[in-house]
Amino acid sequence: MIAKRAIVSELGEEHILLPELIAQALCANDQVKYYFALLQSALAGAQAPHVPPLDLRAERLASHLTDVWLDDVIAGTRKERGDSYRVPHGAEILQRIAAAVRTMLACLPEAERHALGARVEKLRLPDVEEDLIAGGLVSAMTSGSRAKGDSLHLVVMDAHKAINRLQAETAVETLAGARVHRLTQAGRAQVEAFMGGLNRTAPLKFDHPGLSTTAAEHNGRLVIQNDIGTTDAHVLVLRIEGLAATLTYTDIHAARLKFFKSLFAGFAVDWQTTQARRSDTLASEQYMLATGRYVAPDEADLARYLAHLGSRIVYLIDWNKMRKRLRLFVSKEQAVAVLRWAADNDYGHRALLEIGGEKALAEAIEFAAASRLRYGQRLDDLVSEKRAVAFLQDAIKAASLGLRQRRSRRAINDEIKARLRTTFESERLGFFSIAARHAAIAYDLALATVEAIVRRGGEATGGMRSYAQRAAQWESRADGLLNEARDDIKRFERPQALLAFIERCDDCVDQLEEAAALIELAEVAQIAPDRVGEVRELAELALASTQEIVKSIECAASVSRADIRDDLDEFMGTLERLVLIEHQADDALRAFRRRLIGGNPEQRQLIVLHELSKALEAATDAPMAAAQALRVYLMEEVIA
């Protein structure tokens, strides 16, 4: 909070930190007294090494000190020559005592702070080398006798009294988790609204420190301050006067500031200034500052805005850290989009960091991608960008819900691995999704061809034109899917057998579109409907072959392991039927040619009908060849 005080002071609202400064001063008082006791016990133990050392662990924990090594200081202290004692971490302990005293003085009014500070300066602790501390120094520092002169212990005692008096004068209280003082009834309601939103999402920070909130009313306006996290220049100050709420937000990351602004799309916040500032009192030296003003139409809307603002702050904690981690897997734009999704859906990103962050994601990719993974590859190189983003969203959701449900981190990581395996499996089927749409076009075109031949006799002149036009449109759509499939095969380095498969399927579409053009030409050439009807058998065989291709795609998409016999057997049956259809089409073509020659047609009829029969027969050759290519893929790439 001492670092936070610098940035808040620059914003002109230092007074709102008083409640928190008092709380920290009281904690520092407990800690400095613990350190005094620790040094005294350490020296006493060194003077009587055969006496079991004192255990000050309970006092340490009560002082909110988490350093376990402090418990070993007493037993580890050794008496050296003369009045010297080698105290483990002795130099650091003296530094901590000095820092704790400074923290105690920070909350006091300037006059008291100056007076006590002058005493501390006269009693400045010396620098020690090799953790050697003089016994006389400890005695002088911890003396409580004013008759013997001033001491650091006496300064601490006097500062403690001043802090207690200040606390009583300011009447600090906790309101919905915020440290507040001197609030009117309206101010209390506004703080409760803000804290209602903050407390709703605060659990999403998990073990991370931050979100400490203080509030005070000063000169007729309510000022709410939140320290967000641990970065010196990361502070939010909100000033409320009437129905107007002016937000001042500081951040060292411009990208996070932009993200924060985006969280208020549902409110007409007027962001008036965004500028870079420098400060010699901050570790970061430079920070960004933005000011946003929101004027509510009524108290209820103001409360809704305050609750929303409070609920968004948790999503700023470790935001930049998570953004950098996500950029290892997707583009920087998509990384921010994932973070925005996590905030909008109240999952947050902290849970994913808690269970391992990028390490957990990398392990999931290694598990799911296996041999496909190459060093330096991003996730969106292995699967589509859409699927990569969806997986990251799933991972964030699984981590957030899992930790809140108190599931083990191992179980959550296993779930993330399973989800990514499903994503890779879906990506493997991505090609077959394209192929299925392409095959559907071939089937529709073949069906329309049979229907056109059947109704040819009842159509008025020009009736086949719309059919031919639709066929051309279908063929164009199929070409688009062919290019999409080629891109998919190239991007994901799929086997060339799949390229051969989709290209043969497209040959089928091309032949059917050619047949449509020839049927229209037969109408233009006024060829008798019954003559055109003689190729119906070939058209129906072409339709049957497109049906079998649809089935083969469904079967091939299901075959992923050699033990899935049913799908593989069904595919092989489909392949046999396609071979049979192709042979039947050969026979039908030869029979049609004999009938065509035997009928003594005109030359133009001979040309059109012969080309039509060839196109329909070729439309059965292509699916059979496509299925053979798909068989190569299954046997050599999947089953093998």
Side-chain angles (χ1 to χ4, degrees), residues 387 429-445 474 477-485 488 501-502 505-506 509 549-550 553-554:
R387 292 189 188 279
L429 299 177
F431 169 82
F432 292 104
S433 176
I434 300 171
R437 285 181 283 155
H438 188 282
I441 291 176
Y443 172 80
D444 290 341
L445 187 49
W474 277 327
R477 286 167 50 196
D479 282 344
L481 289 172
L482 173 61
N483 290 331
E484 188 177 337
D488 179 271
F501 166 74
I502 196 68
C505 286
D506 198 64
V509 173
I549 279 293
V550 171
I553 292 171
E554 293 175 352

Side-chain angles (χ1 to χ4, degrees), residues 418-443:
R419 291 191 180 199
L420 186 56
R421 173 64 68 86
T422 301
T423 298
F424 271 84
E425 184 66 16
S426 298
E427 194 63 57
R428 185 186 72 83
L429 299 177
F431 169 82
F432 292 104
S433 176
I434 300 171
R437 285 181 283 155
H438 188 282
I441 291 176
Y443 172 80

Side-chain angles (χ1 to χ4, degrees), residues 1-5 17-32 63-64 99-108 160 163 167 172 179 209-210 212-214 225 227 229-230:
M1 181 57 74
I2 299 301
K4 292 289 187 183
R5 186 176 189 178
L17 296 176
L18 185 58
E20 186 66 17
L21 290 173
I22 291 175
Q24 291 196 3
L26 292 173
C27 182
N29 174 71
D30 291 336
Q31 292 175 358
V32 75
S63 303
H64 298 279
V101 172
R102 289 195 298 271
T103 300
M104 290 184 67
L105 303 185
C107 69
L108 297 176
H160 191 191
I163 294 166
Q167 185 182 37
V172 175
R179 299 286 289 173
S212 176
T213 304
T214 57
Q225 180 264 340
D227 68 2
T230 57

Side-chain angles (χ1 to χ4, degrees), residues 260-316:
F260 179 63
K261 288 182 179 181
S262 73
L263 300 180
F264 296 88
F267 296 89
V269 178
D270 179 17
W271 294 99
Q272 299 170 334
T273 59
T274 300
Q275 54 185 286
R277 293 189 177 186
R278 296 188 61 84
S279 173
D280 295 334
T281 62
L282 299 176
S284 58
E285 295 186 355
Q286 186 168 340
Y287 63 94
M288 303 294 297
L289 181 144
T291 302
R293 178 178 172 83
Y294 179 72
V295 180
D298 51 46
E299 291 287 351
D301 185 75
L302 177 61
R304 187 171 66 89
Y305 169 73
L306 294 176
H308 179 78
L309 170 58
S311 71
R312 301 300 91 185
I313 299 175
V314 71
Y315 304 124
L316 300 173

Side-chain angles (χ1 to χ4, degrees), residues 218-280:
H218 182 68
N219 292 334
R221 66 178 177 180
L222 174 67
V223 180
I224 300 175
Q225 180 264 340
N226 186 279
D227 68 2
I228 305 177
T230 57
T231 305
D232 294 353
H234 203 195
V235 171
L236 182 150
V237 176
L238 181 66
R239 304 170 180 86
I240 304 173
E241 294 183 86
L243 295 176
T246 302
L247 172 65
T248 301
Y249 173 73
T250 63
D251 202 326
I252 61 174
H253 298 296
R256 182 165 55 188
L257 188 149
K258 181 179 179 181
F259 169 82
F260 179 63
K261 288 182 179 181
S262 73
L263 300 180
F264 296 88
F267 296 89
V269 178
D270 179 17
W271 294 99
Q272 299 170 334
T273 59
T274 300
Q275 54 185 286
R277 293 189 177 186
R278 296 188 61 84
S279 173
D280 295 334

Side-chain angles (χ1 to χ4, degrees), residues 79-102:
K79 194 174 188 307
E80 299 286 335
R81 61 187 180 278
D83 190 41
S84 295
Y85 295 82
R86 191 175 301 278
V87 181
H89 301 278
E92 181 177 351
I93 292 173
L94 293 181
Q95 292 171 1
R96 289 190 176 196
I97 289 173
V101 172
R102 289 195 298 271

Side-chain angles (χ1 to χ4, degrees), residues 2 38 66 108 117 182 308 332 374 383 437 457 471:
I2 299 301
L38 181 67
T66 59
L108 297 176
R182 299 173 182 169
H308 179 78
K332 59 182 180 180
R374 296 196 304 273
V383 298
R437 285 181 283 155

